[in-house]
Amino acid sequence: MKDGHTTLDEYGQDLDQLAEGDRVGVMRTSNGVLHMYVNGVDQGAASTNIPSKVWAVVDMYGKCAQVTIVDDTNREVAAISNELVSESMALASNELTNDKLVFHDRHGTLIKLSSNRRVAERRRPLDEFNNGVVMTNRPLRDNELFEIRLERLVDKWSGSIEVGITTHNPNILDFPATMTNMRSGTIMMSGSGILTNGKGTRRQYGDFNLDELQEGDKIGLIRKANGTLHYYINDIDQGVAATKVPQTVWGVVDLYGMAVKVTVLEGLSQSSQDDNLVNRMTSLFRHPRTFDNEIAHGENVISLSSIDRLQFHTRCGIHATVINNQRTAHRPNAFDDFNNAVVVTQRILRPGEMFEVVIDKMVDKWAGSIEIGVTTHSPVELEFPSTMTNVRSGTWMMTGNGVMRNGTTILEEYGQNLDRLKAGDHVGVLRKDDGVLHFFVNGIDQGPAASNVPANIYGVIDLYGQAAQATIVDPTTDFGNFGLSDIDFGSDELRFHPRHGQNAIISADGKTASRPSARGEFNDAIVMSNRPLADHELFEVCIDKMVERWSGSIEAGVTLVSPEDIDFPSTMTDIAFDTWLLSGSSVMQDGSTIRNGYRLDLDSLRVGSRVGMMRCSDETLHYYLDGVDQGVACSDVPPGLYAVIDLYGQCAQVTITSGQQNSISHSNNVILTEPEPTLVSPSCSEMTHRFSRCAGKNIEIRNGGTTACRVRSYDQALVFSCDPIKAEEIFEVRVDSISNKWAGSLQVGLTTLAISDSTSFAILPSQATDLKAKATWVVTGSEVQKNGGVVKENYGPSLDRLSLGSRIGVKRSADGNMHLLVNGEDVGVAANNIPKNVFAIIDLYGRIDGVSITSNISADLIGSSVVTSVAMPLETASQVQLLSDEELRFTSEFHDNCGKNISCKNDNQTAERISSYNQGLVFSAKPLPQNHLFQVKIDRINSKWTSSLVIGVVGFSPEKWTPPSSALNIKKPSWLFHADSVYDCGTKVKGNCGINLDALTVGQMVGVKIDQYSMLHLVVDGEDRGAVFRDLPSICYAIVDLYGQCEQVTLMSLDRDVAADFPIPSTEDREKADKEDGQKEKLNLRQSNPNPTILPNCEILNVCSRFKAMLGLPEAFFTSEVSSCYCENCSKIRGDNLYSRKGEPPKDYALPFGWCKFNLRMPLKTDGQGVHDKWHIGFHGTKPGFIRRLLDSGDLLTSSKSLVGGVTSRPLSGHFDEKNKPEELLDIHPIVLSPTLRYAGCQAFAPAIEFRDQKTRKLYHMRVAIQVYIKPGSYKIGPQSTGTNDQFDPKFSNNEVEWSTKERGATTLCALLIKAE
């Protein structure tokens, strides 16, 4: 501080941390620079221009109670003082009396010097990127190396360190913001080029780009005696950078952009004999051929015997000693001290040289154990820390089972845990030629740990905790193929090839492939077979290990490319030629999908599953699951294929199964043509029917499609057979559960409505008897109905009397009659003239809320069509299905990564905000499966705050992501519910949604669910509020923001097999049997639903959406927001007002009642023009055929030569008189708009056209219009011009219902409106 004001924010050691016995001093140098000292160590220049006569002052403040002046004859301080004075005098007189290169005490304004001016650091690196110039304390001598090491980088800025020379004396230089601004006497290397006096003289210099260097890399320069300038990157000469360099130059470093901190390394004269020796030996180690050539020519080569064996350096941590000819390091007082025992090798490791130690002695007193790694720090220069993981530059360490770089964990789970090693175990580290670092435990490669590791590194161990002594092991192995040298990869037995992706390793005699760092890396782990597969030879692997951190899993296939010729990509799907593979359930060829929905889904496999592939002689490729053929995946596959396995995502390890399982005889019953199914043995001649995944919205399909449960209410529970019913085929179900609180019962029949798993449930009515779009025959009670009309009364026993365990079936006989079967007994003909290709339909209505399929597909029927079920014995199939269902069960819990004010407890089932009102974000621990309800219960509310809980989903993993203060601040993919509004990526897209989350109280539950159509639903107290967002990504995590009043929530687990978590409906809702007639029933049902859906599944909206699709408009014109329906039912549910106001000054407009609204993307410039807030709302009617032209132009105004909508300010000629005559048209037709669609959407402006809906076959009359923003003052208000006297809208007089404008740019299209009549 100076005169009470801070001049340096960060300087030297913190005086508040000093203890008794510490010494602190102050000194003014002869050139007026103030230096502070702590325990005799200079903390650097604190201030300049200090007057000559100053008194020392000490403030015994706070904890400091007594001090004593140290004798000013103290040798250490005197020596430092003399050195500084001599240096100052030498610099002033330009005498080079100081041989040690350090940084000058004058520097850029943001520079802080430390460690006797050997270290320079730019302060506030995240706020400032320049003003970081430092220079040497004296000019450089000829052939003198000025070298620095990069200690710290930040990722915020572009550009990085710049290094060079200048003729400007630092004593008088006015330091610039960046050295490239100097216009004289300066040469700088910037990026990969050379700048002279600020101008580029060489665009590309050397082999390195300074902007791409990493922490620990070294940069040096030399001005040679002949006047040439050379740069050295990591000791490699980059050649001549400049010639005719002046003799008196200072070294200069610009800590620019990403570069924050550097250290001056010991400079050596190139003429020094020692330097020649070091450089020569390094060159020999890097280029062994040079060494051999020199021996061959009889040149005088230094003997390697003295340096062949790797040794520890005698300089080490204070609690360690080096013994046994520097081969052993130990911690003598291992029972008293657990740290400060870092030991480094005496020389750098040679290329491909392993540094390996054996643990000699351990103690069991401490936690933790040996840590091993590499560092760029020389043992001579290193200030030994208490533990090596505290070093913040140039260091890579394996600790426990993780890997750290510069003190930061880069792999959380990697290889074997070093803390579990015992005496006698070996641990090693090896840098390969490609710069990838590998660790070894007992000779086993643990896989890649880090990449881009520089070449000049020292081995280092930390005898931490239990590890008390270790000895260097002499390397005797060719580490290029470590662990694989004894494997005969040329044998006929199938193994994995030794060439593979960089994150994979091969072990167990070539039979096992694994991705050791499975939690740190998810790709780059492709492995291949050691030879091509023969026809009908099965290549099969068993999944040994999986991790749940990633999405996706194993990928398997075949390729014509041999392992020797392939350049392994990061993932198998990137192979773009001669490759066929299965990814998930998609079959791909050369990187492109050729088939979806294959029977085998690799993403659903689990540990223990066996997956195989086989090319057959008919050129088809088959996949196998647990030995069962899944059918033809693709055809026209050539011979000579290698098997390929991609250990991707969740799959971490596989093993080739024994040879006994690796061949399948061609005589087996394998059908090799795609349309025909796989035949099965007589023991498995039947397979169970299954339900289609298309079902009513209150239905959950379970147990592989064999069980259907109604989870709420009494209707919306239709289910169908997944395939059409063949002649004489019985589709039968068993009643599993009954709820006596409802009236009515199960309905069963046949329908011609074509159903598939991908069919939208939106087309389904609430009851089977309401299905009238396609011919449908249903038995309800004792009646038979067709399309809702009774065709037969008193038919058989009433279905209202079904009890638990009853079986009910339906079949179509060969003569075209429908038969009903009750408990296996045929009741007789229910209806006749039933067409072929009908589906069974079951309505779980009223009392019956759960059924299971009991019927099977017989063998003769299997032969007649392709069956989607996997061919296997029934016992095996049921067992596999049960295991799969258990495996896929989603366990809800909160993610460990959460807001800083969140405390998770109760096994991460409860989240509590412990302070403030924000920083309360929590996420689901895993991605949400489809149709899984993620639901929380509010435990505690604090009325001290305003607003409350936010809930939704995010389209990214919260792992290693720093949550913001509020969910609404998330700008990445996110879809959120807050108060009564919905938000997309932090932007509000809709308000007044009918339910206000701020009004929820303690005990209420709120949740989110993504359905099978990738639509997001909001669920409040068990009531589905409907789909709000569409087209969500496949991987989404739930998010809850405990904001404002909401302080604690608890997860409510929803068992997939039990629907008891849903609240019991109210009395009005469930007592359907007490209703007197349909009208009363509808009224009461409406009253029992106080919180209606935000966007109900509306038939009008569906029709308008299909009409919009028929228009062929590109989706790029529209936003991702959910469409809005303003039909009578939807408007009443939302409680919409009839009119609203918008703009400055506010102007009334009518909401588009009776229309459906599809929001358009608006130009970005509208944000700056205040269009959303200041402009008025109007409507423009037109013809459907002109919509595309309007959207293409983005403007309603056109010239008279281009007809737009055929609607101008004169829809009908002859309706103007002399008093009401519009302007002359000239070349621009005025555009007619209106504040109400009752006028703009009438026949004169928006003529109706006929449209037959292909789903419902109903005939509709469709109208279209455009909703626009219109600039205030740009339009004229006038009377209606249609010639009618009837008032169009009670809010607006006929004299002001028509707006017209001729001003270009005065309108912005904001929504397409469609009306179905």
Side-chain angles (χ1 to χ4, degrees):
M1 302 181 70
K2 177 184 179 183
D3 300 336
H5 298 283
T6 300
T7 57
L8 290 178
D9 291 326
E10 295 182 9
Y11 171 80
Q13 188 171 342
D14 191 343
L15 298 187
D16 292 342
Q17 306 300 320
L18 299 184
E20 292 181 359
D22 285 332
R23 292 174 291 118
V24 59
V26 59
M27 180 181 69
R28 177 193 177 276
T29 64
S30 59
N31 61 350
V33 178
L34 187 69
H35 288 252
M36 303 289 181
Y37 291 80
V38 176
N39 292 321
V41 178
D42 186 3
Q43 305 298 298
S47 185
T48 58
N49 299 321
I50 305 297
S52 58
K53 293 184 179 180
V54 289
W55 280 261
V57 61
V58 175
D59 189 354
M60 289 184 288
Y61 184 84
K63 294 186 294 183
C64 181
Q66 181 176 316
V67 296
T68 299
I69 296 177
V70 179
D71 186 1
D72 59 0
T73 60
N74 180 282
R75 293 182 180 179
E76 179 177 324
V77 175
I80 296 173
S81 175
N82 291 335
E83 178 185 345
L84 285 170
V85 172
S86 298
E87 175 189 310
S88 178
M89 293 175 62
L91 287 173
S93 61
N94 203 22
E95 295 180 2
L96 304 178
T97 60
N98 188 354
D99 288 335
K100 186 176 181 181
L101 273 178
V102 292
F103 289 122
H104 198 281
D105 54 13
R106 292 193 74 245
H107 44 68
T109 57
L110 292 180
I111 287 293
K112 177 182 73 173
L113 300 179
S114 58
S115 299
N116 291 327
R117 293 186 293 170
R118 289 182 58 246
V119 176
E121 182 175 5
R122 191 179 83 240
R123 296 191 302 270
R124 296 159 52 199
L126 297 179
D127 299 323
E128 302 288 345
F129 61 88
N130 54 9
N131 287 301
V133 176
V134 286
M135 295 175 59
T136 55
N137 61 321
R138 60 171 174 80
L140 304 178
R141 297 192 181 100
D142 287 347
N143 298 321
E144 181 180 21
L145 175 66
F146 169 57
E147 188 175 35
I148 59 169
R149 180 176 59 231
L150 269 173
E151 303 288 6
R152 183 186 172 197
L153 297 170
V154 295
D155 293 331
K156 182 172 182 181
W157 312 105
S158 62
S160 188
I161 191 168
E162 298 172 347
V163 180
I165 58 173
T166 182
T167 59
H168 295 276
N169 190 323
N171 289 293
I172 58 176
L173 177 64
D174 184 10
F175 281 84
T178 174
M179 209 57 196
T180 53
N181 290 343
M182 296 295 293
R183 292 296 180 260
S184 64
T186 303
I187 301 174
M188 300 292 294
M189 182 174 180
S190 175
S192 58
I194 300 297
L195 299 176
T196 302
N197 301 332
K199 296 182 179 180
T201 52
R202 296 190 64 176
R203 178 174 297 180
Q204 184 64 43
Y205 167 74
D207 299 326
F208 292 85
N209 188 329
L210 298 190
D211 295 344
E212 298 174 357
L213 296 185
Q214 303 296 316
E215 294 174 356
D217 286 338
K218 296 185 293 182
I219 311 165
L221 59 86
I222 292 178
R223 182 203 176 276
K224 296 194 175 183
N226 61 1
T228 59
L229 178 66
H230 289 242
Y231 282 89
Y232 293 79
I233 310 296
N234 292 325
D235 299 326
I236 300 175
D237 188 351
Q238 302 300 297
V240 177
T243 59
K244 299 180 181 179
V245 177
Q247 185 171 8
T248 304
V249 291
W250 280 261
V252 58
V253 177
D254 192 347
L255 294 178
Y256 182 81
M258 295 186 292
V260 175
K261 184 178 181 181
V262 295
T263 298
V264 177
L265 301 181
E266 291 289 344
L268 295 173
S269 171
Q270 198 178 37
S271 61
S272 166
Q273 182 66 30
D274 292 338
D275 186 66
N276 283 331
L277 175 61
V278 172
N279 288 338
R280 189 151 179 234
M281 291 310 304
T282 301
S283 176
L284 291 177
F285 287 143
R286 288 180 176 175
H287 307 286
R289 293 182 181 178
T290 304
F291 179 71
D292 296 337
N293 292 337
E294 293 194 9
I295 293 179
H297 288 83
E299 296 184 17
N300 184 20
V301 180
I302 186 171
S303 172
L304 300 180
S305 59
S306 62
I307 58 172
D308 192 31
R309 300 185 74 195
L310 198 60
Q311 296 175 321
F312 289 120
H313 200 283
T314 54
R315 189 169 183 267
C316 54
I318 58 176
H319 292 156
T321 59
V322 175
I323 57 176
N324 188 23
N325 293 324
Q326 297 179 236
R327 301 279 295 171
T328 300
H330 78 133
R331 206 169 79 238
N333 301 316
F335 283 96
D336 300 325
D337 304 307
F338 64 88
N339 59 2
N340 282 299
V342 174
V343 189
V344 184
T345 58
Q346 98 285 9
R347 62 166 172 82
I348 61 174
L349 303 179
R350 298 196 297 269
E353 180 182 19
M354 174 178 286
F355 170 56
E356 186 178 30
V357 299
V358 58
I359 302 176
D360 300 324
K361 181 180 178 182
M362 300 190 72
V363 296
D364 55 7
K365 179 177 180 180
W366 314 104
S369 187
I370 190 171
E371 298 173 350
I372 188 170
V374 295
T375 182
T376 59
H377 297 278
S378 163
V380 177
E381 300 174 349
L382 180 65
E383 297 178 3
F384 283 85
S386 60
T387 175
M388 201 62 191
T389 54
N390 290 341
V391 179
R392 292 296 183 261
S393 65
T395 302
W396 293 259
M397 298 294 294
M398 182 176 178
T399 168
N401 64 339
V403 178
M404 302 183 73
R405 176 174 181 253
N406 301 336
T408 302
T409 299
I410 57 175
L411 290 179
E412 293 180 353
E413 293 191 16
Y414 168 83
Q416 188 171 341
N417 195 329
L418 300 188
D419 295 343
R420 299 176 182 173
L421 298 184
K422 305 297 181 183
D425 284 335
H426 291 230
V427 59
V429 61
L430 167 71
R431 179 196 178 275
K432 295 192 175 182
D433 292 338
D434 57 1
V436 177
L437 194 69
H438 289 244
F439 289 93
F440 292 78
V441 177
N442 292 322
I444 299 176
D445 188 352
Q446 306 298 297
S451 57
N452 298 322
V453 178
N456 294 338
I457 50 175
Y458 296 82
V460 57
I461 63 170
D462 190 346
L463 296 176
Y464 183 83
Q466 298 178 3
Q469 181 172 306
T471 299
I472 297 176
V473 178
D474 284 324
T476 57
T477 308
D478 179 9
F479 299 108
N481 293 305
F482 190 86
L484 304 175
S485 59
D486 298 329
I487 301 175
D488 181 10
F489 288 99
S491 66
D492 290 335
E493 186 177 3
L494 278 174
R495 306 177 189 272
F496 289 117
H497 197 278
R499 289 200 74 239
H500 47 72
Q502 64 178 13
N503 289 336
I505 64 170
I506 307 299
S507 58
D509 200 26
K511 290 286 192 177
T512 297
S514 59
R515 199 173 80 243
S517 53
R519 293 191 176 274
E521 302 286 348
F522 63 88
N523 57 3
D524 283 315
I526 297 175
V527 291
M528 298 176 63
S529 60
N530 61 324
R531 61 170 175 81
L533 304 180
D535 283 352
H536 302 288
E537 180 179 22
L538 178 67
F539 181 86
E540 185 182 57
V541 297
C542 178
I543 299 179
D544 301 329
K545 181 180 178 183
M546 299 187 74
V547 295
E548 297 182 355
R549 179 169 185 176
W550 313 105
S551 61
S553 189
I554 186 174
E555 296 175 344
V558 292
T559 182
L560 282 174
V561 188
S562 71
E564 288 84 2
D565 298 332
I566 193 170
D567 184 12
F568 285 95
S570 61
T571 177
M572 190 172 165
T573 55
D574 292 337
I575 304 178
F577 53 92
D578 297 335
T579 302
W580 297 259
L581 64 95
L582 182 64
S583 176
S585 60
S586 299
V587 181
M588 304 182 70
Q589 179 179 349
D590 300 340
S592 301
T593 300
I594 59 174
R595 177 180 177 183
N596 287 312
Y598 184 64
R599 297 178 188 175
L600 174 59
D601 185 355
L602 297 184
D603 291 342
S604 65
L605 302 185
R606 60 189 181 279
V607 173
S609 295
R610 291 181 291 118
V611 59
M613 65 209 82
M614 174 198 295
R615 182 196 181 270
C616 299
S617 57
D618 63 347
E619 299 185 345
T620 58
L621 180 65
H622 291 242
Y623 284 89
Y624 288 77
L625 176 62
D626 296 328
V628 178
D629 187 2
Q630 304 299 297
V632 176
C634 52
S635 56
D636 298 326
V637 180
L641 298 165
Y642 290 84
V644 186
I645 300 291
D646 191 350
L647 300 176
Y648 183 81
Q650 297 180 357
C651 183
Q653 181 174 306
V654 297
T655 297
I656 299 176
T657 55
S658 61
Q660 297 175 349
Q661 296 177 328
N662 279 5
S663 62
I664 294 183
S665 174
H666 184 48
S667 62
N668 284 5
N669 293 328
V670 178
I671 303 299
L672 301 177
T673 57
E674 172 61 17
E676 297 179 4
T678 301
L679 298 182
V680 294
S681 63
S683 63
C684 54
S685 61
E686 293 184 342
M687 288 184 292
T688 307
H689 286 109
R690 72 177 181 90
F691 291 119
S692 172
R693 292 289 175 182
C694 174
K697 71 175 185 179
N698 291 335
I699 284 292
E700 282 191 6
I701 304 297
R702 303 172 180 167
N703 295 332
T706 61
T707 299
C709 297
R710 192 183 74 237
V711 295
R712 64 183 69 81
S713 191
Y714 62 87
D715 60 354
Q716 298 282 359
L718 297 185
V719 291
F720 303 85
S721 61
C722 86
D723 295 305
I725 302 300
K726 307 303 179 183
E728 301 298 336
E729 181 180 10
I730 300 173
F731 187 88
E732 185 183 59
V733 298
R734 180 185 64 243
V735 177
D736 290 340
S737 58
I738 291 178
S739 178
N740 289 320
K741 62 188 176 184
W742 307 109
S745 186
L746 178 142
Q747 301 168 5
V748 62
L750 299 172
T751 181
T752 59
L753 179 64
I755 292 294
S756 68
D757 286 348
S758 60
T759 303
S760 171
F761 71 88
I763 69 172
L764 303 180
S766 60
Q767 298 181 33
T769 54
D770 294 333
L771 185 56
K772 302 174 183 179
K774 291 286 186 178
T776 303
W777 297 263
V778 174
V779 179
T780 171
S782 59
E783 292 181 347
V784 181
Q785 296 187 15
K786 178 184 178 182
N787 292 349
V790 177
V791 296
K792 184 176 290 189
E793 296 180 343
N794 299 318
Y795 167 76
S798 175
L799 299 187
D800 293 341
R801 300 174 184 173
L802 294 178
S803 59
L804 198 65
S806 294
R807 290 179 292 115
I808 185 76
V810 63
K811 77 172 182 179
R812 178 191 176 275
S813 62
D815 56 2
N817 294 326
M818 184 177 81
H819 290 248
L820 185 72
L821 296 92
V822 178
N823 293 322
E825 181 179 348
D826 192 337
V827 181
V829 176
N832 50 29
N833 297 324
I834 307 297
K836 296 180 180 179
N837 296 323
V838 290
F839 291 78
I841 178 174
I842 308 287
D843 190 352
L844 275 64
Y845 184 81
R847 295 171 57 247
I848 309 300
D849 58 12
V851 296
S852 294
I853 296 176
T854 58
S855 57
N856 300 314
I857 305 172
S858 59
D860 56 342
L861 293 174
I862 296 174
S864 63
S865 66
V866 177
V867 180
T868 57
S869 301
V870 176
M872 63 176 69
L874 290 179
E875 298 84 356
T876 305
S878 61
Q879 180 181 8
V880 170
Q881 182 57 53
L882 288 175
L883 287 172
S884 178
D885 190 62
E886 181 67 26
E887 183 74 13
L888 294 175
R889 186 182 302 276
F890 179 85
T891 303
S892 292
E893 63 180 38
F894 290 123
H895 199 284
D896 291 333
N897 188 22
C898 54
K900 69 178 183 180
N901 290 336
I902 285 293
S903 171
C904 290
K905 52 190 178 181
N906 189 23
D907 294 329
N908 279 14
Q909 297 290 306
T910 298
E912 177 187 12
R913 195 182 75 238
I914 55 179
S915 64
S916 189
Y917 64 90
N918 58 3
Q919 298 283 357
L921 271 63
V922 289
F923 306 86
S924 60
K926 301 177 182 178
L928 295 186
Q930 286 187 346
N931 291 314
H932 175 84
L933 176 61
F934 182 92
Q935 185 172 232
V936 297
K937 182 180 70 175
I938 298 178
D939 297 333
R940 190 169 73 244
I941 292 288
N942 186 346
S943 59
K944 169 184 175 182
W945 309 106
T946 59
S947 194
S948 189
L949 170 144
V950 179
I951 193 168
V953 297
V954 295
F956 57 92
S957 171
E959 189 79 21
K960 296 184 179 179
W961 182 69
T962 303
S965 60
S966 167
L968 299 184
N969 292 334
I970 299 176
K971 301 307 178 184
K972 301 177 73 174
S974 58
W975 299 268
L976 305 172
F977 301 94
H978 169 56
D980 63 347
S981 303
V982 291
Y983 292 77
D984 186 343
C985 299
T987 302
K988 181 178 177 180
V989 295
K990 186 172 182 60
N992 300 321
C993 294
I995 178 69
N996 192 333
L997 299 187
D998 289 348
L1000 298 180
T1001 59
V1002 172
Q1004 287 192 275
M1005 294 182 293
V1006 60
V1008 290
K1009 178 179 73 173
I1010 301 175
D1011 64 20
Q1012 64 266 41
Y1013 305 106
S1014 299
M1015 294 192 290
L1016 180 64
H1017 294 243
L1018 176 68
V1019 179
V1020 179
D1021 289 333
E1023 291 290 336
D1024 190 340
R1025 320 302 295 180
V1028 181
F1029 290 104
R1030 294 190 178 120
D1031 300 325
L1032 266 67
S1034 58
I1035 297 178
C1036 287
Y1037 290 76
I1039 178 176
V1040 180
D1041 188 355
L1042 277 65
Y1043 187 84
Q1045 295 183 356
C1046 183
E1047 290 191 334
Q1048 181 173 308
V1049 297
T1050 297
L1051 279 168
M1052 304 301 293
S1053 61
L1054 182 65
D1055 196 324
R1056 287 172 48 160
D1057 301 321
V1058 180
D1061 287 328
F1062 288 95
I1064 299 174
S1066 62
T1067 304
E1068 295 85 356
D1069 195 13
R1070 66 171 184 263
E1071 293 298 329
K1072 185 173 183 295
D1074 296 336
K1075 310 305 177 187
E1076 297 178 0
D1077 52 48
Q1079 181 66 27
K1080 181 178 180 181
E1081 175 186 327
K1082 291 180 181 178
L1083 291 174
N1084 282 333
L1085 281 173
R1086 185 174 296 175
Q1087 294 169 359
S1088 65
N1089 189 10
N1091 294 317
T1093 58
I1094 295 174
L1095 288 175
N1097 183 24
C1098 176
E1099 180 181 357
I1100 298 296
L1101 178 60
N1102 293 335
V1103 172
C1104 292
S1105 297
R1106 289 192 284 271
F1107 179 76
K1108 169 178 167 284
M1110 185 271 296
L1111 294 177
L1113 302 174
E1115 287 300 319
F1117 284 127
F1118 300 91
T1119 69
S1120 60
E1121 300 174 29
V1122 175
S1123 307
S1124 303
C1125 178
Y1126 289 87
C1127 70
E1128 180 180 2
N1129 291 334
C1130 293
S1131 295
K1132 287 182 179 179
I1133 287 175
R1134 287 193 300 266
D1136 291 336
N1137 296 320
L1138 295 175
Y1139 302 95
S1140 184
R1141 310 190 82 190
K1142 193 76 173 178
E1144 293 182 4
K1147 194 74 172 178
D1148 291 329
Y1149 70 95
L1151 267 64
F1153 281 104
W1155 297 69
C1156 292
K1157 179 181 176 182
F1158 302 89
N1159 293 315
L1160 296 170
R1161 294 185 185 274
M1162 297 174 61
L1164 294 177
K1165 64 181 181 180
T1166 58
D1167 295 333
Q1169 296 174 345
V1171 170
H1172 299 273
D1173 301 324
K1174 298 179 180 180
W1175 288 23
H1176 297 153
I1177 292 288
F1179 303 96
H1180 172 75
T1182 187
K1183 296 178 181 179
F1186 298 123
I1187 290 295
R1188 175 61 188 270
R1189 202 179 309 175
L1190 286 173
L1191 298 184
D1192 284 338
S1193 66
D1195 197 343
L1196 295 179
L1197 284 169
T1198 60
S1199 69
S1200 59
K1201 297 179 182 179
S1202 177
L1203 179 66
V1204 176
V1207 179
T1208 65
S1209 57
R1210 299 187 186 84
L1212 295 175
S1213 60
H1215 292 290
F1216 294 99
D1217 52 29
E1218 292 299 326
K1219 296 181 179 179
N1220 183 29
K1221 185 177 180 179
E1223 297 179 359
E1224 295 299 326
L1225 293 180
L1226 299 176
D1227 194 42
I1228 300 298
H1229 284 194
I1231 291 300
V1232 169
L1233 301 114
S1234 178
T1236 173
L1237 273 170
R1238 293 186 180 184
Y1239 181 72
C1242 70
Q1243 183 68 21
F1245 298 105
I1249 66 168
E1250 290 187 352
F1251 169 69
R1252 185 172 295 278
D1253 186 10
Q1254 295 301 313
K1255 290 288 185 181
T1256 63
R1257 307 306 301 172
K1258 292 182 180 180
L1259 183 64
Y1260 292 91
H1261 291 84
M1262 312 298 295
R1263 301 180 190 272
V1264 296
I1266 298 290
Q1267 180 175 322
V1268 302
Y1269 283 104
I1270 182 167
K1271 186 177 180 180
S1274 67
Y1275 59 92
K1276 294 183 179 181
I1277 300 176
Q1280 60 87 14
S1281 57
T1282 61
T1284 181
N1285 294 323
D1286 297 332
Q1287 186 167 352
F1288 288 93
D1289 193 304
K1291 178 74 172 178
F1292 304 99
S1293 168
N1294 277 7
N1295 291 326
E1296 57 182 21
V1297 77
E1298 183 175 296
W1299 300 349
S1300 63
T1301 181
K1302 294 174 59 178
E1303 183 177 329
R1304 288 192 180 275
T1307 59
T1308 298
L1309 314 186
C1310 62
L1312 170 65
L1313 300 167
I1314 302 177
K1315 185 176 185 180
E1317 298 170 321

